[in-house]
Amino acid sequence: MITLPSRIAAVCLLLLATCLAGAAPASATGTDGTCPAGGGVTVVVDFGDLAPQPLIRCAPGTPATGIAALQGAGIDVAGSQKYGLAIACRIDGKPGPDVESCAGMPSATAYWSYWHAAAGGKWESSQEGAQTSKPAADGFEGWSFARPKTANDLPTPPRVAPVRQAVSTPSPAPAATSSSFPWGVVIAIAAILLIGGAAWVAARRRRT
């Protein structure tokens, strides 16, 4: 027979689990800026004349391919209708359909060039497609939108150097103004225990 105190205890445990689950931080895919040392692969996208600012994001872990690094950094990539992701046709939605239809191979005078670099090193043009290339651990993956005047002109690497950004350590905030301690969860737990204790006492009094 399930007694009233047992039911109260079960409800309290359920509420406690709900509070703790709600307090857990959600994991995110990719972060802005370069990866910290040992934190993943940094992806740099130089849009050229398609956008005023480059995109720099961190793909955590060890992405299996260059395409996986883009996706792991939270950057949208679309392939061509004919070749799929073997050809990176659009990155972060660029170029638009007015420049490239993405039906087959991109134009020889408007396409994405693909690069690699070690942290603090120099960009080198990839000799392998991004769908099969394995990014170097802790390295940099670069994409640069090329608009050569002729098909024989070589593309240029991203205009952002493959250098890891310094991480600034913010000064600790005063305890009176800011705190990361989960006071809301503590208060909720205390309230649950008080309610459960009061109900327990009331149940014992009724039995006696």
Side-chain angles (χ1 to χ4, degrees):
M1 176 179 177
I2 301 175
T3 62
L4 178 60
S6 300
R7 292 178 180 176
I8 294 172
V11 171
C12 290
L13 289 174
L14 179 60
L15 291 174
L16 176 59
T18 302
C19 290
L20 293 176
S27 60
T29 301
T31 54
D32 288 329
T34 58
C35 296
V41 173
T42 300
V43 180
V44 177
V45 180
D46 184 348
F47 296 100
D49 61 355
L50 298 176
Q53 297 294 331
L55 188 59
I56 305 173
R57 289 184 63 82
C58 174
T62 54
T65 66
I67 293 297
L70 273 170
Q71 296 170 331
I75 302 172
D76 182 61
V77 55
S80 73
Q81 298 173 19
K82 185 174 182 180
Y83 300 102
L85 287 174
I87 301 294
C89 184
R90 299 194 211 285
I91 297 178
D92 202 35
K94 299 176 180 62
D98 57 323
V99 176
E100 176 57 59
S101 66
C102 292
M105 288 293 293
S107 167
T109 56
Y111 60 92
W112 286 103
S113 59
Y114 177 42
W115 305 77
H116 309 292
K122 294 183 178 180
W123 289 114
E124 295 182 1
S125 180
S126 178
Q127 302 303 306
E128 190 175 354
Q131 198 173 31
T132 56
S133 176
K134 171 69 176 178
D138 228 22
F140 280 65
E141 293 277 291
W143 294 86
S144 180
F145 190 71
R147 284 188 189 267
K149 294 181 179 179
T150 69
N152 295 324
D153 293 336
L154 295 177
T156 57
R159 293 169 291 181
V160 177
V163 177
R164 187 171 289 116
Q165 299 167 351
V167 178
S168 59
T169 303
S171 301
T177 58
S178 176
S179 173
S180 59
F181 192 80
W183 288 110
V185 176
V186 173
I187 293 172
I189 293 173
I192 292 169
L193 293 176
L194 287 173
I195 294 172
W200 181 276
V201 171
R204 287 181 63 86
R205 286 179 177 175
R206 281 197 297 269
R207 281 205 303 248
T208 59

